[in-house]
Every structure is written in C-alpha cells, then in structure tokens.
Amino acid sequence: MGMAIAAAALRDALHERGLRMTPQRRLVLEVLDEARGHVTGKELLELCRERDPDTNPSTVYRTLDVLEELGYVSHSHSAQGREEYHVLPDAPHAHLQCRSCGRTWELDGADAASVAAPIRERFGFEPDIGHLTIVGRCKECAAKERAAQESHTQEGATSP
C-alpha cells in the first residue's frame, strides 16, 4: 500500500472514529513510509520529533494502532519483548535474533514456512509467521564462543 492510498484510508478510518488527519498524523505516515526495517514506537516518535519537536506520543501510538487495523503496518515482538513496527512487506517473514550481540535478521517467507510446516503438521497449529522470532547465536558469536571454550579447555589441560 503506497503512502497516498494509506493516507486516504487513514483519513477515512480516523473520520469514522471522530478523529482528523492532522499534520502530526501525516508526519507519522511519512516517517513510516521512509522507514527501513523495524522501528519501535519510541524510535518512530524520535524520528517524528526530528521534523516536528511538538509531536505528541499519544498521536504516534494511536496512529500506529489505526494503521495496523488498516493493514498498513504490523507489529512483532523481539526476543526481549520490544514491540517493533514496520510497513508491511510484500511477503510475510520471521526474524532471527542473536542472543549474544542482539542483531536481528529477516527470515524470508519460504524459510519461515519451512520452520512452521512441522508445527502445522504435528499439532494442527497455524503459526503467525510475522510474530515468529527465533533466538540463537549468529555465526560470528557462535565462533567466538567456540574459540573461548577451546581456549579454556586447552588451558585446563595444561594446568597441573
């Protein structure tokens, strides 16, 4: 959904709730449209305040709620429980998060579906791919941990 379509849909949805399409709400939509990856509500508020220091937090969060109802954004939760928003991609995706360094990667829909398939088959449960976050260690952190363990093991073997 492009920004012009989202703006019209948002304006109509706000009107149905007795709210108006204010400059601050339009700003939230513009900042979200430019956002790459995931953004928290707090980060979105800060980005909006870079352009308009008077941006109201409740306006940002209410606008996010309406945009999610309209299907323009979705939210997910990181492994730490941090709520993140992003403009919906063309296809659903899951997330990988390193518990050591905290970096996050997107897992494309096909790979996420292959993770979800055994759950669906065994339990008859339909996972929500957009809310799926797999926590583990990235290649770099896993290698560092193995090296540290090997070093510790070697030190223990040479100690009297």
Side-chain angles (χ1 to χ4, degrees), residues 50-102:
E50 287 176 8
R51 296 185 193 182
D52 178 1
D54 296 327
T55 301
N56 187 316
S58 62
T59 298
V60 171
Y61 286 100
R62 280 194 309 254
T63 303
L64 284 169
D65 289 343
V66 173
L67 289 171
E68 186 164 26
E69 288 175 25
L70 294 172
Y72 183 68
V73 299
S74 72
H75 81 274
S76 60
H77 298 270
S78 71
Q80 291 85 17
R82 181 176 103 143
E83 190 169 44
E84 300 174 331
Y85 295 87
H86 63 97
V87 176
L88 289 179
D90 294 332
H93 64 273
H95 304 92
L96 302 175
Q97 185 170 43
C98 179
R99 77 166 51 109
S100 296
C101 68

Side-chain angles (χ1 to χ4, degrees), residues 62-160:
R62 280 194 309 254
T63 303
L64 284 169
D65 289 343
V66 173
L67 289 171
E68 186 164 26
E69 288 175 25
L70 294 172
Y72 183 68
V73 299
S74 72
H75 81 274
S76 60
H77 298 270
S78 71
Q80 291 85 17
R82 181 176 103 143
E83 190 169 44
E84 300 174 331
Y85 295 87
H86 63 97
V87 176
L88 289 179
D90 294 332
H93 64 273
H95 304 92
L96 302 175
Q97 185 170 43
C98 179
R99 77 166 51 109
S100 296
C101 68
R103 288 186 299 176
T104 302
W105 296 265
E106 290 187 359
L107 184 64
D108 71 34
D111 288 335
S114 70
V115 170
I119 296 167
R120 185 178 305 108
E121 291 166 10
R122 182 169 178 199
F123 300 103
F125 184 83
E126 290 292 331
D128 180 352
I129 298 297
H131 278 86
L132 179 62
T133 300
I134 300 172
V135 180
R137 285 194 185 80
C138 68
K139 185 189 303 186
E140 292 83 10
C141 291
K144 287 177 188 174
E145 184 175 312
R146 279 192 302 277
Q149 286 175 349
E150 289 171 7
S151 174
H152 181 71
T153 302
Q154 288 175 355
E155 287 174 8
T158 58
S159 297

Side-chain angles (χ1 to χ4, degrees), residues 1-11 21 26 29 33 72:
M1 181 182 306
M3 191 177 102
I5 294 169
L10 178 61
R11 184 189 61 240
M21 176 61 114
R26 186 173 305 281
L29 191 59
D33 199 51
Y72 183 68

